[in-house]
Structure formats: C-alpha cells, structure tokens
Amino acid sequence: MFSKYDVIVVGAGHAGCEAAHAAATMGSEVLLITMNLQTIAQMSCNPAMGGVAKGQIVREIDALGGMSGIVSDETMIQFRMLNRSKGPAMWSPRCQSDRMEFALNWRDKLERNPKVSFWQEMVTDILVKDNIVYGVKTSLGLEIHAKTVVLTNGTFLNGKIHIGEKNFGGGRTGESAAFGITEKLVSLGFESGRMKTGTPPRVDGRTINYEAMQEQLGDENPEKFSYTDTPKLEKQNSCWISYTNLAVHEELRKGFDKSPMFNGRIKGLGPRYCPSVEDKINRFAEKDSHQIFLEPEGRTTIEMYVNGFSTSLPEDIQYNAIRKIPGFENVKLLRPGYAIEYDYFPPTQLKLTLETQRVENLFFAGQINGTTGYEEAGAQGLIAGINAHRKAHELSAFILKRDEAYIGVLIDDLVNKGTDEPYRMFTSRAEFRTILRQDNADIRLTKKGYEIGLASKERLDRVEEKIKNSEELIHKLETTKLSPEEINPYLTKINSSLLREKSTISSLIKRPEIGIKELEEGNVLVQAITNTYTKEQKEQAEIKIKYEKYIEKELLMAEKMAKLDEVKLNTEFDYMALKSLSIEARQKLTAAKPMNLGQASRISGVSPADISVLMLYLGR
C-alpha cells in the first residue's frame, strides 16, 4: 500500500508544513501524516504572523526558501511594522491573517508539490531498531517505512483541555488528542514533561460596540514578508483596542477557586510572556486595567479573537466578565477560552540539526521541543525538514549559527540551554540583533538556501542585485559632497545643524534626524543619485551607513563573548540582591548557579543586557 519514503512528517501544523515542503522541494519523497486533512496549517490561537523577533524569523524562513512568508503575504488582511520609532534592529513586521484562507493556501501549496503525499490517521508508534528509526505505525496497525521521521505533534501528545472544573482529552477544541508516541519515546529513554498554553474566547463581531473602542489601523503603506513578488496588500481590516477594569477583575476573581491554574489541576507551566487574564490579575494585582486587542479572524467572518483575554475559567465567568469590558457589553460568545496541557520533550536531548541524540534519523520540531508560536514552530520545521532530507541522502548537516540568524539563536538556545516553560523568541535573546535585522534576512540566508537546493535561482539573482545596487549607492553617497549653499536651506527648515564646509551625503545620513528620504526632499542632487534605486535598496544603504559603528561593535562583542567562559562566578552568589538584573534573570541564575559568565550567558531568560550587568559588577 505504501512505498518507502525518504521523509515522514507526523503532524501538519506550521512546523510540519514547513518540514514537508522543504524536504520535498529539495528532492525527497515525503509523506505528511495528519489526524485531520481539513486542519492543515490551522491557526489554533491568534490569527496573526510575525511580531517582535517573530517577524524576523518569518523573513528568515522566506529567505531560505520556506513558505510561511509567502502564505502570510497572500492571506494577510492588515500589516504593521512594529517598533518603527526605535532602531532598525528592533523593526518587526506583523500581519493579521485570514485564518481560513491561510490554512487553505498552505494546503494548496503542499498539494501542488508532486513529491508530497498525504495520509489521514493517528500515528501511535515509532518504529525503531538498534536506535535507528525506520518508520511509524498508525492506529489502524499500518506500518509505513521511511529513512527519516520528523515529529511535529504540537499540543496533541496526551493533550488535555481545561475549562473551569471540566477537563477532557483533546489536542485542540473539537479534535482528539494523540496517544502512544509519548509512551514509546519514554520507553526508548527520552525524558518528557508537561506544558500548558491557552486561548481566549471567540466572539460575534456583530455584537461589539466599536464606538467604545480605539481603532487600530494598519500601516499607510503596508510592506510584506516575502522577498518574492507576492501581491501588495490593498485593502486592510482594522483591529480594535479596549481595556479591562476593576469590575472585570472582580468578576474574574469569582471563578478563581474553580480555575485549573490555581487549584492544581494543571501541572504544566504556561508561557511567561503570554499569561492568561486570570494570571495577569493575580500576578499584577496593583494594576487597575489590562489592554485587550480585538482582532478579526478573516475578511468576511463575524468571528473575532479577543487577544489578551486568554483564560481557562468556567464559561459563565468568562461570559459575565467579558461583558464588563467597554465595547463588549452586549457581546455573544461563539466559543469559550480554554487551557490545554500537553507533553513535550526537553530539547537538550537534540542535536543542533534537531535530530534526537538517542535515536538516529528521528527529528523533533515545534511545540514538542517546548516552544510556543507559529513562527518558532515553522523555523524548526524548516530546519528539521532540511536536515531530514540531507540525512536521508547522506549529505552533511545544515546548521545556522547565532550570528547568522534568529533561527540559529532559537535552536542554539533550545539545544544548549533547554527550557522548562514555553520558549518564545525576543530580540533580547539575540546578542547580534543589529546584524540580524528583518531587512537583511535575504542577504544573510538566500545564498545558503540556494546552495542546499531550497531557494530558487531567481531568489539568488534578486538578492545579488540588491547587494550590488545597495553597495553601489553607498559608494556614491560616501563620495559625493554637498556644499553649505546646496543643503543649508533645507537643514534650517528641519532644525538640523548647518554645514560650514562641504560634507559627504553619507555624513549627513548619519545624523539621527536625517535619512535618504529627507535628503531627497531637500536636494535635487540627492534625488538624481538615488532615483534609480528601489525603496528596499535605499533602505539597506541607509541602515548600513547609519549603523556602521554599531555593527563593528557587535563583531567585537562576538569575540569577547568567546572569552566569557574564563570569567568565574561564585556559585553561592545572591543574584536576587542584584536589582539591576531583570526579574527573570535573577530567578534563572539563582536556580542554575552558573560556574562562569559563559554558562550564565547560555541560560534561557538571561539576556545580553543581564550579562553586561554582571560584567560591570565584576569590574569587567
């Protein structure tokens, strides 16, 4: 019935889709097994892609030849570039997606790949001989063989859903949990644990009073994720902002005694940076309100996502509390929020390729590794799919380093630091974030994607043209001078310091209040120099000119970081007393008792800023 495949991918969420697409595009025969073909690439939680650091990951997936950026561009209904008021290392693209269109688009992409086959059933066992995986076994007893296997099981492994005092098995609302895989892996010697995540109630958009809320528009000139010619977003949907209040909090507290979070029924840890609304009220009791974002689930549906109101309280408590939020007074619920508890496997049991250390040719990607977020899952799926293909064809491993990509930071953190709570990517986790910007992901990674057979020649040609033209423009800006007479009238207009002698255009661009766009408005010579270059090429040139010194400092920092292992730490030091450290860092350092700064720098939750504090304390 089944031929032998090069790669079997178990699970068709964001990790599974990227893994299957990557391996098949590179030439492997792939079988994608899912319990439900109708929920491929389901956006189980919020209908959005990207965000702080996450947007950088989507750009990197795209640069390597993955599909998350393209699917996002083709199904987005709003786009915003976050953190524009900060430096470019912090700029992060984010979009609202049409949830149903996103899933359909992903499935269409996979179905158009002739090397991807599909099978709908639960996988209950992993076939292993002499610590080498050779296939999987399904609930019907079918044995399907492959050279490599990628597990991307999401929240389905022994998943349990909690709503108040009610709990039942499930991997997502309306879908059954997956059984058998955890037990087999544990029997093979793997360590497992439990984690928790949650989702808010969905509401009927027709019953919202939008006049009581603040409208959140998309960018006036929306950008996109992919470096390919995906369509430009023409018509955007709005999101809406409201706030909880003391009346909401009081109503929610009525259900605390029935909360599975507070009465001990949930054992797994939830995501630190995406807490439930009851957790926020409990942890931040001094706050009178918390922000709520109302997000459309699609262009045409009435279903709305209440971001910031994730909860597992009883449904009647949810209903009574949400109706006390301004704008929600007459709201109808479509479905309640819930928490879900599931099995994961500490990622310290993996290699940097995401192949397991205990069983050869077996790869893990996504929430099975203790992460949270579509973007983190997609990135792992991509790397696991690439390496599963390469292992099946006896090719060398593909590994991204910390100074090459946020994806490299993500996997290095997971494998070398591990995580005991759902891991989420932040810019603060990357010590080389000035280099790892969202605007240059193609420059950093497209050649690598092309060399392994994932990114197309067209992509490579495009990025080489971008590099050539931006460098050419930089040379022109560094060698062309403007006289005081040519530019001072404009500098006066914008309250910038006047020139006393001729200066290069690049020296003016280094001023914080001036960029290429401003100089184009103020000088015809600059217009003549830059008008043949694209917006993307001009942005690249400007960033490299403005932040040249910062980039140089980061490279020096990379050299210094290698010496951190030589700096010893007192294992009995009281980190809780060092208030200049972040709260998370104090907690993690106290628990880990690192022997040196290098070890401290690799502890999940200890940021480069925290290491700088320690270095200052040590007089270094």
Side-chain angles (χ1 to χ4, degrees):
M1 183 173 177
F2 294 99
S3 58
K4 183 174 180 179
Y5 295 91
D6 295 311
V7 181
I8 288 176
V9 178
V10 181
H14 300 264
C17 288
E18 286 290 2
H21 168 264
T25 301
M26 295 165 73
S28 282
E29 292 293 336
V30 176
L31 179 65
L32 180 59
I33 305 179
T34 174
M35 292 196 292
N36 188 349
L37 286 169
Q38 308 310 313
T39 56
I40 288 175
Q42 182 81 284
M43 293 182 126
S44 309
C45 204
N46 62 321
M49 288 292 285
V52 176
K54 293 168 172 280
Q56 283 86 329
I57 289 176
V58 178
R59 285 265 169 98
E60 290 177 350
I61 292 172
D62 182 75
L64 285 165
M67 295 302 299
S68 289
I70 292 174
V71 175
S72 296
D73 286 353
E74 292 178 349
T75 60
M76 70 170 67
I77 60 177
Q78 190 195 83
F79 181 93
R80 295 176 65 221
M81 183 66 78
L82 307 183
N83 290 333
R84 272 288 191 186
S85 61
K86 301 179 181 179
M90 302 296 288
W91 298 351
S92 300
R94 184 185 188 272
C95 78
Q96 290 296 133
S97 301
D98 186 307
R99 184 170 60 86
M100 290 179 283
E101 286 295 326
F102 185 95
L104 289 171
N105 191 298
W106 242 123
R107 177 169 176 169
D108 180 63
K109 296 283 192 296
L110 292 169
E111 289 181 350
R112 289 175 183 273
N113 192 320
K115 287 190 172 290
V116 178
S117 299
F118 302 86
W119 184 251
Q120 178 175 293
E121 200 185 344
M122 183 190 297
V123 169
T124 56
D125 199 1
I126 310 298
L127 304 177
V128 178
K129 183 177 181 181
D130 299 327
N131 289 325
I132 301 174
V133 73
Y134 65 92
V136 300
K137 189 174 182 179
T138 72
S139 56
L140 290 176
L142 300 173
E143 291 194 0
I144 311 173
H145 295 175
K147 296 177 183 177
T148 58
V149 174
V150 182
L151 297 184
T152 68
N153 302 89
T155 59
F156 283 79
L157 295 181
N158 293 324
K160 180 180 284 188
I161 292 173
H162 297 264
I163 304 176
E165 295 180 301
K166 304 167 187 173
N167 63 77
F168 46 90
R172 248 189 320 243
T173 182
E175 298 181 58
S176 65
F179 304 101
I181 290 178
T182 293
E183 293 72 18
K184 178 56 177 281
L185 292 174
V186 170
S187 75
L188 291 169
F190 284 90
E191 176 192 350
S192 71
R194 295 286 277 178
M195 281 191 176
K196 167 254 174 188
T197 189
T199 191
R202 277 32 166 217
V203 301
D204 185 337
R206 298 171 301 182
T207 61
I208 297 292
N209 176 17
Y210 296 101
E211 292 184 359
M213 297 181 173
Q214 174 188 338
E215 186 173 11
Q216 187 180 50
L217 300 170
D219 287 353
E220 186 176 345
N221 295 302
E223 298 181 33
K224 53 184 188 171
F225 284 104
S226 181
Y227 294 97
T228 61
D229 289 324
T230 50
K232 182 180 179 181
L233 179 60
E234 298 293 347
K235 183 181 178 182
Q236 301 193 64
N237 288 47
S238 293
C239 296
W240 306 84
I241 298 173
S242 189
Y243 294 86
T244 64
N245 51 53
L246 292 177
V248 177
H249 299 181
E250 188 59 35
E251 194 66 41
L252 289 169
R253 287 192 181 95
K254 293 178 181 178
F256 277 14
D257 61 327
K258 298 179 180 179
S259 168
M261 277 191 57
F262 298 142
N263 60 25
R265 280 197 299 276
I266 290 180
K267 305 297 183 185
L269 283 173
R272 176 186 293 259
Y273 299 101
C274 190
S276 66
V277 66
E278 58 263 37
D279 194 23
K280 284 189 282 190
I281 292 169
N282 186 53
R283 283 165 54 189
F284 308 106
E286 73 283 359
K287 293 197 68 172
D288 294 340
S289 67
H290 295 279
Q291 200 168 43
I292 299 293
F293 296 89
L294 186 65
E295 303 172 344
E297 293 265 357
R299 283 202 182 278
T300 56
T301 180
I302 62 168
E303 190 171 1
M304 305 287 282
Y305 181 91
V306 190
N307 199 340
F309 204 81
S310 175
T311 180
S312 57
L313 290 171
E315 58 271 28
D316 59 328
I317 297 292
Q318 295 184 35
Y319 177 73
N320 292 334
I322 201 170
R323 287 171 71 97
K324 295 183 184 298
I325 299 173
F328 289 83
E329 292 86 355
N330 298 304
V331 74
K332 291 182 180 178
L333 297 189
L334 297 180
R335 45 183 163 137
Y338 62 88
I340 181 165
E341 200 175 12
Y342 56 94
D343 293 336
Y344 85 105
F345 291 82
T348 49
Q349 302 171 99
L350 301 175
K351 302 174 183 177
L352 288 171
T353 59
L354 297 183
E355 183 182 17
T356 68
Q357 295 178 14
R358 288 187 173 274
V359 177
E360 190 174 351
N361 297 343
L362 177 64
F363 296 77
F364 292 174
Q367 285 173 291
I368 191 173
N369 289 336
T371 62
T372 180
Y374 309 141
E375 304 82 2
E376 290 88 343
Q380 293 170 73
L382 182 75
I383 298 301
I386 289 170
N387 281 307
H389 160 81
R390 293 182 71 81
K391 192 73 185 289
H393 295 276
E394 300 181 353
L395 299 170
S396 61
F398 181 79
I399 296 171
L400 293 173
K401 296 183 293 185
R402 295 183 71 91
D403 61 347
E404 292 177 324
Y406 270 90
I407 297 174
V409 175
L410 166 67
I411 294 174
D412 185 74
D413 276 357
L414 292 174
V415 173
N416 291 321
K417 303 177 185 178
T419 185
D420 56 5
E421 61 185 48
Y423 178 103
R424 178 180 178 181
M425 179 54 72
F426 289 100
T427 51
S428 60
R429 296 193 192 274
E431 58 270 49
F432 305 109
R433 55 188 174 272
T434 307
I435 298 171
L436 307 181
R437 305 183 310 274
Q438 54 83 31
D439 61 271
N440 70 350
D442 55 342
I443 293 173
R444 292 184 277 117
L445 299 173
T446 297
K447 187 176 181 182
K448 292 179 181 293
Y450 174 74
E451 288 172 345
I452 62 174
L454 186 54
S456 66
K457 181 65 164 59
E458 181 184 0
R459 280 180 174 269
L460 182 63
D461 292 343
R462 182 188 294 266
V463 73
E464 286 180 343
E465 181 183 13
K466 175 181 175 179
I467 294 169
K468 173 180 170 292
N469 287 347
S470 61
E471 289 179 349
E472 181 183 273
L473 177 56
I474 289 171
H475 177 72
K476 291 180 179 178
L477 297 173
E478 288 178 337
T479 56
T480 304
K481 293 186 175 182
L482 295 177
S483 67
E485 295 78 17
E486 290 176 299
I487 196 63
N488 276 351
Y490 180 71
L491 296 179
T492 300
K493 181 180 176 182
I494 62 172
N495 296 318
S496 188
S497 299
L498 303 182
L499 294 185
R500 295 182 179 179
E501 58 185 21
K502 279 192 171 185
S503 294
T504 62
I505 298 173
S506 63
S507 67
L508 289 167
I509 290 173
K510 289 179 180 180
R511 297 184 182 187
E513 73 276 13
I514 294 178
I516 290 177
K517 182 180 178 182
E518 286 74 25
L519 290 176
E520 286 175 332
E521 294 173 357
N523 185 269
V524 292
L525 178 58
V526 176
Q527 291 176 21
I529 291 173
T530 61
N531 65 7
T532 59
Y533 298 95
T534 66
K535 177 179 178 291
E536 189 179 36
Q537 291 161 4
K538 287 188 278 189
E539 182 182 73
Q540 192 64 211
E542 180 177 322
I543 290 171
K544 290 185 78 172
I545 290 171
K546 253 187 203 305
Y547 296 91
E548 178 185 10
K549 296 298 181 184
Y550 293 94
I551 292 170
E552 289 176 0
K553 286 181 180 179
E554 247 179 39
L555 294 172
L556 279 174
M557 186 180 75
E559 294 177 17
K560 291 179 181 178
M561 292 293 281
K563 299 179 180 179
L564 290 182
D565 286 341
E566 300 172 10
V567 183
K568 305 302 179 184
L569 293 173
N570 180 358
T571 55
E572 301 304 317
F573 180 75
D574 182 10
Y575 292 102
M576 299 305 293
L578 197 54
K579 302 300 183 184
S580 48
L581 290 171
S582 68
I583 294 174
E584 184 180 4
R586 279 179 266 162
Q587 294 171 349
K588 294 294 183 70
L589 288 165
T590 299
K593 299 184 185 299
M595 297 176 64
N596 56 61
L597 268 181
Q599 184 182 353
S601 72
R602 292 188 286 273
I603 296 171
S604 178
V606 178
S607 72
D610 295 316
I611 296 301
S612 296
V613 169
L614 287 176
M615 291 176 75
L616 286 170
Y617 178 81
L618 294 167
R620 292 175 180 267

